[in-house]
Amino acid sequence: MADHDEQLLTLTEVSERTNISMPTLQRYKKQYQDQIPSRGTGRTQRYPVEALEVFTQLKEENMKKRGRPRKNKSAEEKPKTVRRPPAPRAKPSESEDKLITLKEIGEQTGISYPTLLRYVKSNIARIPHVGEGRGRRYPPEAVDVFRTLRQESRRGRKAARSGAPATTTVRTTTRVRPAAPSPAPSGGLEELQAQLKELQKSHMQLQRQVQHLEKELAKPFKVVLKR
């Protein structure tokens, strides 16, 4: 019976005795060649009995390494971003509640919207307002300023002279139906009929000429060659 030093095991037998999977043993074989005693190379490589303890120790060491934190992975986790609820909007003041739009000023004064825009562009320094552009709003006292600007305009001065209120004029368009075409005079119709008859006659003459030409071409003709 052979001694333990001469008894050699295959990698499959090592797996059965140590309960280590074959992929793990193959990895240990590549990484720890200097630590694992063996005989031969390649497929004929065999392992003595003392190699079982070496494989078992490698398994225990690797199991301990798995429990350690990785070097590349930072232990500290990134703080989670907490979304803050939007701040509550401040309640508008009483002065802001009284602000009106340019459209509302037109309804109160009877001035058209384009005219109000023209007043804003040319007299913005005289008109009290809050904000700029489309968000511009006007306090109630701006209504009197717009009325004053209207009275200072040419239309307002004309209305003041005549005693009529300066109101905007609305142009109305009326549709005019086209007049029905008058019947053509009888003399024109007779002229058209006469021209039509002349055209029919010229057409008949042309047909006769074509027929005569066809008959002439159908006749045999002689070709005389002179030497």
Side-chain angles (χ1 to χ4, degrees):
M1 190 170 180
D3 298 335
H4 288 289
D5 293 340
E6 296 178 355
Q7 186 181 1
L8 299 177
L9 305 173
T10 62
L11 202 62
T12 304
E13 292 173 344
V14 173
S15 176
E16 293 175 354
R17 294 194 181 191
T18 59
N19 292 327
I20 302 174
S21 64
M22 285 295 294
T24 304
L25 292 175
Q26 292 285 353
R27 180 164 55 83
Y28 292 166
K29 174 183 172 182
K30 293 179 181 179
Q31 293 179 357
Y32 308 101
Q33 292 181 1
D34 299 336
Q35 300 181 24
I36 302 171
S38 62
R39 305 287 187 273
T41 57
R43 295 183 178 180
T44 60
Q45 190 173 11
R46 297 293 182 270
Y47 303 90
V49 177
E50 57 265 24
L52 298 175
E53 296 181 1
V54 178
F55 279 113
T56 303
Q57 290 178 0
L58 293 174
K59 179 182 178 181
E60 292 176 356
E61 291 177 0
N62 281 273
M63 289 295 291
K64 292 178 181 179
K65 290 181 181 179
R66 288 183 182 179
R68 297 176 185 176
R70 296 182 181 179
K71 294 181 180 180
N72 297 332
K73 186 178 180 181
S74 60
E76 297 180 358
E77 296 182 357
K78 295 182 179 180
K80 296 182 179 179
T81 56
V82 180
R83 294 184 179 180
R84 297 181 179 179
R89 295 183 179 179
K91 295 182 179 180
S93 59
E94 294 181 358
S95 59
E96 292 180 353
D97 289 339
K98 296 179 180 179
L99 296 178
I100 57 178
T101 62
L102 204 62
K103 184 178 180 181
E104 294 173 344
I105 292 176
E107 294 175 355
Q108 295 182 20
T109 59
I111 304 173
S112 64
Y113 191 81
T115 304
L116 292 174
L117 287 176
R118 181 164 53 84
Y119 291 163
V120 171
K121 291 180 180 179
S122 57
N123 301 279
I124 189 62
R126 297 177 55 184
I127 303 170
H129 64 278
V130 177
E132 297 295 334
R134 295 183 178 179
R136 186 180 288 141
R137 296 294 182 268
Y138 306 89
E141 56 267 22
V143 176
D144 296 333
V145 178
F146 279 107
R147 288 174 178 169
T148 303
L149 293 173
R150 180 57 183 271
Q151 293 176 358
E152 293 175 357
S153 64
R154 293 181 180 179
R155 186 174 297 177
R157 289 195 296 268
K158 289 181 180 179
R161 292 174 185 175
S162 62
T167 57
T168 56
T169 58
V170 180
R171 297 180 180 178
T172 58
T173 57
T174 57
R175 296 181 180 179
V176 180
R177 296 182 179 179
S182 57
S186 59
L189 183 60
E190 292 177 356
E191 291 179 359
L192 290 175
Q193 290 177 354
Q195 292 178 2
L196 183 60
K197 289 181 180 179
E198 291 179 0
L199 289 174
Q200 289 176 354
K201 288 181 181 180
S202 60
H203 181 66
M204 294 295 292
Q205 291 177 0
L206 183 60
Q207 284 184 349
R208 290 173 185 173
Q209 292 177 1
V210 172
Q211 291 175 359
H212 178 71
L213 183 60
E214 290 177 352
K215 289 180 181 179
E216 293 294 331
L217 292 174
K219 292 179 181 180
F221 56 90
K222 296 180 180 181
V223 179
V224 179
L225 300 176
K226 295 182 179 180
R227 295 180 181 179

